[in-house]
């Protein structure tokens, strides 16, 4: 939430530098200035409400409540954002604007795309679509998901390792698409934790004989997670990344999906020694 406040303040400051000049125009440029100002005021008010509400509720109710609020905020932002985006696209095609204004419009277009990405993250967090459970092989699912990331990992100098509990399948009762998102989110988190230094990302599987659950682990050799941050990493909007590099929703979405499967997820880490996330999921009936 603090990052969101900072983003909005920066956006408002950069926009106000040209807003006065734009408002004097009686065309779509002036309309854009007014639409942008209204949206920023609305965003600032909404984030303030969100922060106050977030501080009042406990962890047990936080994820559900934040999901509902996120959906409302995302839809409220989407409408003016679509209008503003249309204005920007129209202006980019004009030939009677000076170079300075053209550059400012280009920058605004880039900022709009960044906001749109964050709105998409909010909607993903808020979605409560019904899961479609079926028997699925975790090994096959992990391989399929990792194939989507192999190029990005290699480009960052990250070695991929698989530590499966067997050569054959490991069946779980899951919604395969949602668990693919879990694997993808955890792998992206691990990749970002290793930054540009490279390292090793390991995907492992196993079984818990005490509970009958199947296990899926994602570990990395990055900088690790500070002990005081561990209790907060699944909170919505919590992130230690620089402003603009993430919304802090990836692990919150992951937590929601795992909980909806009747499973659980936990993280272990030591600063400087990487981190490991362990996901427990219900095994398929015959597994």
């Amino acid at each position: 939430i603090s990052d969101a406040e900072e983003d909005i303040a920066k956006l408002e400051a950069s926009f106000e530098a040209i807003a006065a000049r734009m408002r004097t125009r009686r065309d779509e440029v002036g309309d854009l200035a007014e639409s942008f100002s209204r949206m920023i005021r609305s965003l600032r008010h909404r984030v303030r409400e969100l922060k106050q509400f977030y501080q009042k509720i406990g962890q047990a109710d936080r994820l559900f409540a934040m999901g509902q609020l996120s959906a409302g905020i995302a839809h409220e932002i989407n409408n003016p954002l679509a209008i503003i985006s249309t204005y920007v696209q129209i202006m980019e095609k004009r030939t009677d604007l000076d170079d300075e204004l053209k550059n400012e419009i280009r920058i605004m277009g880039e900022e709009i795309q960044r906001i749109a990405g964050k709105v998409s993250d909010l909607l993903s967090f808020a979605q409560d679509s019904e899961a479609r459970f079926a028997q699925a092989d975790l090994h096959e699912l992990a391989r399929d998901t990792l194939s989507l990331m192999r190029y990005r990992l290699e480009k960052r100098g990250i070695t991929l390792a698989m530590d499966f509990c067997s050569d054959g399948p490991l069946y779980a009762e899951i919604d395969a698409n949602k668990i693919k998102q879990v694997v993808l989110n955890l792998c992206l988190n691990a990749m970002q934790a290793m930054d540009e230094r490279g390292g090793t990302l390991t995907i492992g599987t196993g079984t818990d004989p005490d509970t009958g659950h199947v296990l899926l682990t994602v570990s990395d050799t990055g900088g690790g997670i500070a002990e005081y941050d561990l209790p907060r990493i699944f909170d919505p909007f919590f992130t230690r990344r620089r402003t603009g590099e993430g919304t802090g929703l990836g692990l919150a979405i992951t937590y929601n999906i795992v909980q909806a499967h009747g499973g659980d997820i936990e993280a272990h880490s030591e600063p400087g020694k990487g981190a490991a996330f362990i996901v427990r999921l219900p095994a398929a009936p015959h597994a």
Side-chain angles (χ1 to χ4, degrees):
I1 295 176
S2 297
D3 284 347
E5 287 181 314
E6 188 176 339
D7 276 351
I8 292 170
K10 287 182 178 179
L11 185 63
E12 184 175 21
S14 62
F15 177 72
E16 283 302 321
I18 60 170
R21 181 155 60 98
M22 294 173 68
R23 290 192 184 101
T24 60
R25 303 173 65 100
R26 298 183 178 277
D27 58 8
E28 65 269 13
V29 180
D31 293 338
L32 171 65
E34 188 56 37
S35 294
F36 224 122
S37 295
R38 283 198 303 269
M39 189 191 75
I40 291 173
R41 289 195 296 269
S42 176
L43 277 175
R44 190 168 53 237
H45 177 69
R46 280 292 190 173
V47 169
R48 190 180 303 118
E49 286 184 342
L50 188 64
K51 188 174 184 178
Q52 292 171 349
F53 183 75
Y54 186 80
Q55 292 169 342
K56 291 179 181 178
I57 60 178
Q59 176 66 25
D61 298 322
R62 189 171 291 169
L63 291 174
F64 175 77
M66 293 297 287
Q68 302 302 307
L69 284 169
S70 296
I73 292 172
H75 286 296
E76 187 170 324
I77 295 172
N78 257 339
N79 292 331
L81 198 63
I83 295 171
I84 293 168
S85 180
T86 300
Y87 280 134
V88 168
Q89 291 175 42
I90 292 173
M91 288 188 293
E92 285 179 335
K93 296 178 181 178
R94 290 180 53 163
T95 58
D96 60 333
L97 303 179
D98 59 69
D99 291 340
E100 183 182 0
L101 188 54
K102 285 181 180 179
N103 185 57
E104 289 165 347
I105 291 170
R106 179 188 60 78
I107 293 172
M108 289 169 58
E110 292 173 355
E111 289 297 303
I112 287 170
Q113 291 304 312
R114 190 167 65 86
I115 294 172
K118 294 195 173 187
V119 171
S120 178
D121 286 341
L122 281 172
L123 287 172
S124 294
F125 173 65
Q127 282 177 346
D128 190 25
S129 57
E130 185 177 352
R132 299 181 179 180
F133 295 96
Q135 178 178 289
D137 177 12
L138 276 185
H139 293 165
E140 180 181 358
L141 183 149
R143 292 189 190 96
D144 289 346
T145 307
L146 290 174
S147 67
L148 301 174
M149 294 194 60
R150 192 173 300 277
Y151 173 76
R152 295 177 66 181
L153 293 171
E154 291 175 352
K155 190 175 180 181
R156 287 176 175 247
I158 296 173
T159 301
L160 180 61
M162 295 187 185
D163 184 20
F164 292 168
C165 63
S166 68
D167 294 331
L170 179 65
Y171 291 109
E173 192 74 13
I174 57 174
D175 182 317
N177 287 330
K178 290 183 179 294
I179 298 303
K180 280 183 180 180
Q181 185 177 1
V182 166
V183 177
L184 187 61
N185 285 350
L186 292 177
C187 288
L188 286 170
N189 190 71
M191 183 179 72
Q192 290 158 350
M194 288 183 279
D195 201 16
E196 302 297 332
R197 297 170 294 179
T200 301
L201 187 156
T202 303
I203 308 295
T205 60
T207 58
D208 186 337
D210 295 328
T211 64
H213 284 76
V214 295
L215 308 179
L216 176 68
T217 64
V218 177
S219 58
D220 64 71
T221 57
I225 304 167
E227 184 177 354
Y228 52 82
D229 282 339
L230 274 174
R232 304 174 58 196
I233 58 174
F234 297 112
D235 285 359
F237 307 113
F238 175 76
T239 179
R240 288 297 185 193
R241 295 176 205 153
R242 292 186 295 272
T243 300
E245 290 188 356
T247 57
L249 286 174
L251 289 179
I253 292 170
T254 297
Y255 182 92
N256 277 357
I257 292 173
V258 174
Q259 288 287 305
H261 278 72
D264 65 77
I265 179 172
E266 61 185 51
H268 301 278
S269 179
E270 290 184 44
K273 296 184 178 180
F277 288 82
I278 303 171
V279 178
R280 293 179 176 85
L281 296 167
H286 76 276

